[in-house]
């Protein structure tokens, strides 16, 4: 390309304004054509439901007829005072901590063991990933069968050992632990896959350089591999957080929130006390709280872990 | 003191034999360069020396001690990778000091040694930077710094300069030569680059398909190539090879003469040919001349020969600087008197 000196006065050389440039290069046409559908869809399916949920949460409404019974903040007051809701919040917090501190380390260890490409590794990866593909409801049913004290596998084990049948899902102390175990079991494969993909992208000569530098395998993991996949770990934690706050369809078939409503998550609480009991306004209030929690934790986390690290 | 010796080393990847049988002695303090075409096994041989690949058969000795099964750290080697392989999340100081840290050296000692290495490599102003914030040449220096700070017995370089531009490469070449002189350590260096091989090496190892073709000093290889392969590989532009009836009249299968050993003569020419085109570099001119019944010859004329193509010129090879090779590609004498 050759540069020619402009013949006109200096004013003619001024950089064209954004709008003028868009008009000449055709991007304005593209904008007019493609922006409205996107805005429409986003409004219709994202913005509008959020606002209507916020709106609904100020009403007492059973799902039928007109929404007229305005109750102000009453739904939120009930929530704040409800001990079952407190328990549900606490349970969701436990799920969140388990996801971060049990599930992700487990996924990481397995990924480190299995990331190299061999046929045995592929087989193991598939096995560990299988729970993630399984539908949540099916997962719940399978595990409820395993834990069933009368007919399930735990019944068989108890029988063989000659002990009393053990109803772990009906045990207030242990029921939620089983839910945590099932949740970890179901989703660790997903995080493992993310880590495997990231580990495979670590240049092999970095690992070799560490070997030459005299790093043991554990030190190579600590000083080279983990820092190199930090972006994936951070992303995984974000998914784990948002996932943990939304656990629902594993709880329903396993315990259905019982015994005595001690194993609800926020979402199963919403479903049980909002939708199933026709308190749609109340359910909407729970939904708004859940949404705020999700957005709040996700953004806080993003601030703390991701933006500061400068990656992702 | 650090010598390195391959004894009947074989390397096989699965069913593929990459190095059939290599025996090679590398004396203390030598700068040994491995050259050869792409895929001939240079990197593999170097990685065998480093301990990054396992030797399939044979033994490797460093300083007379068998290190065939030793881990890299036990061999007292350091390696500089073509890609530099710097740890991107560590700054320059941490990159250089990583080996010392892994060796459990005290912090003060690490700082002191990193500082010293950085000074020799003119990196002292960059110690806080991450590799991503460095130029190619600076990264290369960090990679070398990481190697020298550990004071290894043997340095291994795998095409360390191939990602640099020509000017920087020349500069780094000089720096490497100085480094070798100052440290006096044994260095093994893999390269594609003729000039690097000829200028840096005191011993060149020419590899072809995993076999050693010839080992010798640069000028030995240039003046007395033992095989057709070495003759064609060392020297630029490439040696002229003439086969067929002309060669058999000289009692060889292939007659070879380097472009710089063919003279342009005005009286009693040995060959007469037509200049097809010329490459005028200023200091030299490469003439591509078609000689009937012999084929295309490259001729190197000193200075600007002012021939552009189409001219008919007379040529004569320097008999003393010509080479003969038998049907197996081995060097054999040229019988000029039979001519
Ligand atoms: N891990 C491996 N598995 C199978 N074959 C390999 C492996 N590493 C190298 N090879 C083969 O060994 C041969 C020699 O490879 P090597 O990397 O040593 O060549 P090289 O001389 O360094 O080439 P280049 O100049 O291109 O770097 C090649 O044919 C290559 O395909
Ligand atoms: Mg190579």
């Amino acid at each position: 390309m050759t540069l020619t000196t402009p013949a006109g006065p200096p004013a003619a050389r001024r950089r064209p304004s954004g709008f003028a440039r868009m008009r000449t290069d055709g991007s304005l046409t593209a904008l007019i054509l493609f922006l409205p559908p996107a805005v429409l869809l986003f409004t219709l399916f994202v913005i509008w439901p959020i606002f209507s949920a916020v709106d609904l949460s100020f009403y007492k409404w059973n799902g039928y007829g007109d929404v007229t019974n305005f109750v102000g903040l009453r739904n939120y007051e009930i929530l704040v005072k409800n001990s079952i809701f407190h328990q549900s919040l606490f349970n969701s917090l436990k799920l969140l901590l388990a996801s971060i501190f049990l599930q992700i380390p487990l996924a990481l260890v397995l990924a480190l063991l299995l990331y190299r490409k061999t046929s045995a590794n592929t087989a193991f990866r598939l096995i560990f990933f299988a729970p993630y593909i399984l539908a949540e409801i099916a997962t719940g049913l399978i595990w409820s069968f395993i834990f069933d004290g009368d007919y399930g596998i735990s019944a068989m084990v108890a029988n063989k050992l000659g002990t009393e049948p053990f109803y772990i899902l009906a045990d207030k102390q242990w029921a939620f632990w089983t839910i945590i175990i099932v949740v970890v079991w179901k989703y660790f494969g997903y995080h493992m896959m993310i880590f495997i993909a990231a580990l495979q992208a670590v240049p092999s000569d970095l690992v070799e350089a560490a070997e030459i530098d005299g790093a043991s395998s554990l030190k190579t993991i600590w000083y080279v591999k983990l820092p190199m996949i930090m972006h994936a770990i951070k992303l995984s934690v974000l998914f784990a957080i948002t996932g943990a706050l939304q656990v629902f369809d594993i709880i329903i078939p396993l315990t259905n929130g019982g015994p005595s409503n001690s194993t609800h998550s926020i979402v199963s609480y919403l479903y049980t006390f909002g939708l199933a009991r026709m308190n749609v306004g109340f359910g909407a209030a729970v939904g708004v709280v859940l949404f705020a929690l999700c957005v709040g934790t996700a953004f806080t986390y993003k601030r703390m872990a991701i933006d500061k690290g400068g990656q992702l | 003191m650090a010598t390195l010796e391959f004894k009947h080393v074989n390397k096989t990847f699965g069913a593929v034999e990459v190095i059939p049988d290599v025996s090679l002695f590398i004396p203390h303090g030598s700068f040994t360069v491995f050259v050869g075409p792409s895929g001939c096994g240079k990197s593999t041989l170097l990685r065998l020396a480093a301990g990054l690949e396992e030797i399939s058969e044979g033994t490797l000795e460093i300083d007379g001690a068998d290190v065939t099964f030793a881990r890299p750290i036990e061999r007292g080697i350091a390696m500089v990778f073509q890609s530099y392989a710097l740890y991107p999340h560590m700054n320059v100081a941490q990159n250089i000091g990583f080996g010392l840290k892994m060796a459990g050296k005290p912090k003060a000692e690490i700082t002191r040694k990193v500082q010293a290495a950085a000074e020799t490599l003119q990196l002292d102003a960059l110690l806080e930077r991450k590799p991503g914030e460095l130029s190619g040449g600076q990264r290369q220096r960090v990679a070398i710094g990481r190697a020298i700070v550990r004071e290894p017995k043997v340095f291994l370089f795998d095409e360390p300069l191939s990602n640099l531009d020509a000017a920087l490469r020349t500069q780094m070449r000089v720096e490497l030569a100085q480094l070798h002189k100052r440290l006096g350590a044994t260095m093994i260096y893999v390269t594609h680059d003729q000039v690097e091989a000829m200028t840096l090496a005191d011993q060149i190892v020419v590899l072809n398909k995993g076999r050693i073709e010839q080992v010798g000093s640069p000028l030995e290889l240039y003046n007395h190539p033992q095989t057709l392969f070495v003759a064609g590989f060392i020297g630029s532009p490439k040696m002229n090879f003439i086969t067929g009836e002309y060669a058999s009249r000289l009692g060889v299968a292939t007659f070879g003469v380097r472009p710089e050993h063919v003279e342009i003569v005005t009286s009693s020419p040995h060959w007469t040919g037509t200049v097809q085109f010329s490459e005028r570099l200023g200091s030299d001119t490469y003439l591509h001349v078609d000689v009937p019944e012999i084929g295309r010859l490259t001729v190197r004329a000193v200075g600007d020969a002012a021939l552009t193509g189409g001219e008919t010129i007379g040529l004569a090879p320097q008999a003393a600087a010509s080479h003969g090779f038998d049907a197996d590609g081995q060097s054999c004498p040229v019988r000029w008197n039979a001519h």
Side-chain angles (χ1 to χ4, degrees), chain B residues 4-319:
Chain B
L4 191 142
E5 187 169 13
F6 291 93
K7 286 184 170 168
H8 297 289
V9 164
N10 168 289
K11 177 63 191 171
T12 314
F13 289 110
V16 191
E17 190 170 63
V18 174
I19 312 262
D21 178 5
V22 159
S23 293
L24 174 67
F25 180 74
I26 293 169
H28 169 68
S30 93
F31 199 118
T32 297
V33 173
F34 292 171
V35 292
S38 190
C40 69
K42 307 181 290 292
S43 297
T44 305
L45 209 52
L46 200 71
R47 292 166 59 82
L48 289 174
L52 292 174
E53 301 285 357
E54 216 171 279
I55 293 174
S56 305
E57 259 168 62
T59 53
L60 175 72
E61 290 179 3
I62 292 180
D63 271 350
D66 187 339
V67 293
T68 312
F69 301 106
R71 289 183 299 128
I73 189 65
E74 298 160 348
R75 301 183 181 203
I77 52 103
M79 183 158 170
V80 175
F81 293 80
Q82 179 175 6
S83 61
Y84 317 139
L86 300 179
Y87 312 116
H89 51 284
M90 300 182 197
N91 66 24
V92 169
Q94 289 164 334
N95 262 286
I96 296 179
F98 187 68
L100 298 174
K101 183 173 170 182
M102 291 301 104
K105 292 277 177 344
K107 270 220 173 80
E109 184 186 340
I110 298 179
T111 316
R112 186 165 44 77
K113 286 191 169 165
V114 167
Q115 191 64 39
E119 264 161 37
T120 30
L121 295 163
Q122 297 147 37
L123 287 169
D124 20 358
L126 307 173
L127 285 174
E128 298 299 319
R129 293 221 200 147
K130 295 269 174 70
E133 300 157 354
L134 300 176
S135 73
Q138 290 165 341
R139 281 180 217 181
Q140 187 55 67
R141 286 209 182 87
V142 177
I144 293 172
R146 191 167 64 179
I148 60 175
V149 79
R150 289 178 33 219
E151 297 163 13
K153 291 191 275 187
V154 182
F155 283 86
L156 306 171
F157 297 92
D158 194 354
E159 308 201 32
L161 307 186
S162 60
N163 287 338
L164 303 179
D165 66 45
L168 205 50
R169 206 179 307 170
T170 312
Q171 184 194 337
M172 288 302 295
R173 205 170 66 215
V174 175
E175 286 183 21
L176 272 177
Q178 286 169 346
L179 188 74
H180 177 238
K181 216 174 192 172
R182 201 179 59 238
L183 298 178
T186 310
M187 295 189 173
I188 308 180
Y189 188 100
V190 167
T191 183
H192 266 107
D193 188 306
Q194 288 264 340
V195 183
E196 274 173 35
M198 298 298 281
T199 53
L200 286 173
D202 42 41
Q203 168 172 278
I204 294 184
V205 178
V206 183
L207 289 162
N208 180 25
K209 296 185 187 136
R211 279 167 230 277
I212 294 180
E213 288 276 336
Q214 189 174 350
V215 181
S217 73
L219 287 182
E220 222 171 293
L221 297 192
Y222 177 84
N223 291 324
H224 308 289
Q226 279 166 10
T227 65
L228 192 61
F229 180 85
V230 175
F233 196 81
I234 301 286
S236 171
K238 205 170 164 266
M239 186 186 281
N240 294 298
F241 290 127
I242 303 165
T243 53
E245 203 194 325
Y246 178 83
S248 50
R249 267 188 280 137
L250 295 173
V252 296
T254 308
F255 171 80
V257 62
R258 297 192 185 278
E260 50 271 42
H261 299 142
V262 181
E263 283 164 20
I264 302 174
V265 291
T266 42
S267 61
S268 63
H270 188 77
W271 297 308
T272 309
T274 317
V275 178
Q276 291 302 316
F277 63 97
S278 63
E279 297 170 276
R280 296 164 71 177
L281 306 181
S283 59
D284 303 282
T285 308
Y286 301 150
L287 302 169
H288 298 266
V289 186
D290 271 356
V291 179
E293 281 152 43
I294 284 184
R296 172 76 52 96
L297 291 181
T298 312
V299 178
R300 176 179 187 168
V302 176
D304 192 10
L307 294 163
T308 51
E311 298 89 347
T312 301
I313 55 173
L315 298 170
Q318 294 176 7

Side-chain angles (χ1 to χ4, degrees), chain A residues 9 60 163 235 277:
Chain A
K60 188 169 166 60
T163 56
L235 185 69
R277 299 198 182 164

Side-chain angles (χ1 to χ4, degrees), chain A residues 11-25 27-28:
Chain A
R13 290 192 62 206
R14 216 185 292 138
R15 177 196 293 274
S17 76
F19 186 75
R21 198 171 23 188
M22 279 171 72
R23 228 173 40 181
T24 48
D25 71 4
S27 53
L28 187 64

